Amino acid sequence: MTTIRDVAVEAGVSVSTVSLALNAPERVSEPTRRRVLAAVDALGFVPKADAVARARRGAGRIGVLAAFSAYRSAARRVNGVMSATGSRPLEIVLFDQESSARSASPLLASLPVTGRLDGIILVSRPLDDAVATRLRDLRLPTVLVDVRHSGFDSVHTDDEAGGRLAAGHLLSRGHARFAFLGEEQRSDRYVSPSQRRLAGFRTALAEAGHTPVVRLARHEVGQALATARELLAAEPRPTAVFAADDTLAAGVMRAAHELGLAVPADVAVVGFDDGELAEALGLTTVRQPLEESGRAAMELLLRRIDGGTGAVREIMLRLELTVRGST
């Protein structure tokens, strides 16, 4: 039976480094982590505790990996995941990760080896080819939400279409000076939902002869507020702002209030997501079916866990504009 020492020898590292790469991957450099995982794959190594757990359990442990702390939308997707389980005795394990807009996910690389999972749902997590190969080789049923990768079932919406919806609505209100507030992008590994929404917004405005001012902020109200203050204090001031999600839009609305600007008389604001925050603020927003996406992802995953084969399925869910007082 392959041991952790065999993996260490194969990878040319110490046993403690192998342990860190599998259990605390953020503490190991990416090149070393890749060597260790390549050795794990080559030798077919399964950590001892995992082997015992796998022998004891039946199919029923599902992992959901998302940036739960950063995005309220992630929790709403889990509600959808739970609603699709029915009476099945499933254990849902949540793995909280930083936004993909800010960093890659070391945990994702090692999770298939150490997570003791029967299936996994990855929310807004891009797959590099090495991780995708590992998931396939381990035959771990996997469904992607908000991202796509060849060979994997996925559930997503058309973020660019959402940006076009926002632009069309603001154009119909007669606006001519536009701005976009999006999330900072520190990772170049994938195109984030914020970037895709901006692309659609820009395209629709360009067709009407307009170019938006673009500002980026960290995904939190405080940072959005500071950036929005600068945006709304500039001359000429935009009369319409599209924010990449409702949290950023809340920062814009608060900044407008602090600057003595009336919403929507002086500045109209559109967000993206549509939940309790948008309702409380009277925010016009693009509604994405968050609970529905979680439910659809879980249904696809259960189909694979139950032995479903056949072509990869990609489910596209529809976006809608919810008009409220902010426009």
Side-chain angles (χ1 to χ4, degrees), residues 72-96:
R72 299 182 184 189
S73 59
R76 291 176 58 192
R77 293 190 201 275
V78 173
N79 289 339
V81 167
M82 299 296 291
S83 72
T85 61
S87 59
R88 292 180 64 145
L90 295 174
E91 179 184 3
I92 309 299
V93 184
L94 307 184
F95 298 91
D96 188 19

Side-chain angles (χ1 to χ4, degrees), residues 13-34:
V13 298
S14 67
V15 170
S16 61
T17 297
V18 174
S19 180
L20 282 174
L22 296 178
N23 299 297
E26 70 282 355
R27 295 174 59 187
V28 180
S29 70
E30 183 170 350
T32 299
R33 191 167 62 245
R34 286 184 177 275

Side-chain angles (χ1 to χ4, degrees), residues 97-322:
Q97 292 287 279
E98 188 177 17
S99 165
S100 289
R102 298 184 60 79
S103 70
S105 175
L107 175 62
L108 179 54
S110 62
L111 191 59
V113 179
T114 63
R116 303 190 299 277
L117 302 174
D118 299 289
I120 187 168
I121 296 172
L122 305 177
V123 180
S124 299
R125 283 285 146 191
L127 286 182
D128 64 32
D129 290 339
V131 175
T133 298
R134 181 168 297 108
L135 290 168
R136 290 193 192 99
D137 289 348
L138 293 173
R139 297 182 181 178
L140 179 65
T142 302
V143 175
L144 312 180
V145 178
D146 270 357
V147 292
R148 283 174 277 182
H149 195 288
S150 176
F152 292 88
D153 294 333
S154 64
V155 181
H156 49 89
T157 55
D158 187 342
D159 287 297
E160 290 194 22
R164 292 193 295 270
L165 271 177
H169 175 66
L170 293 171
L171 286 166
S172 74
R173 293 294 196 266
H175 292 280
R177 297 196 303 274
F178 303 89
F180 174 84
L181 180 61
E183 182 180 5
E184 284 183 348
Q185 181 80 16
R186 293 193 178 181
S187 172
D188 59 1
R189 296 191 175 210
Y190 90 124
V191 179
S192 70
S194 177
Q195 290 175 302
R196 296 194 295 265
R197 292 163 194 173
L198 171 58
F201 189 60
R202 271 181 167 150
T203 298
L205 292 182
E207 291 170 354
H210 301 288
T211 301
V213 174
V214 177
R215 295 288 185 272
L216 303 178
R218 289 193 62 171
H219 187 265
E220 55 187 42
V221 173
Q223 287 290 318
L225 173 60
T227 304
R229 280 199 205 102
E230 298 175 6
L231 183 65
L232 297 179
E235 291 293 342
R237 173 177 49 78
T239 64
V241 180
F242 172 41
D245 64 36
D246 294 344
T247 297
L248 298 177
V252 176
M253 294 182 72
R254 182 175 169 186
H257 176 74
E258 291 184 359
L259 293 170
L261 301 174
V263 176
D266 296 318
V267 59
V269 183
V270 177
F272 203 108
D273 280 342
D274 194 18
E276 292 179 352
L277 178 62
E279 289 185 27
L281 294 175
L283 175 66
T284 293
T285 187
V286 178
R287 180 190 180 277
Q288 63 168 327
L290 296 166
E291 288 83 3
E292 293 92 326
S293 68
R295 182 165 56 250
M298 189 60 165
E299 289 171 351
L300 287 175
L301 187 64
L302 291 176
R303 172 175 166 265
R304 292 294 182 186
I305 289 174
D306 291 339
T309 57
V312 169
R313 295 187 61 187
E314 292 189 0
I315 297 177
M316 173 81 78
L317 298 177
R318 185 168 174 248
L319 298 170
E320 297 177 346
L321 185 73
T322 302

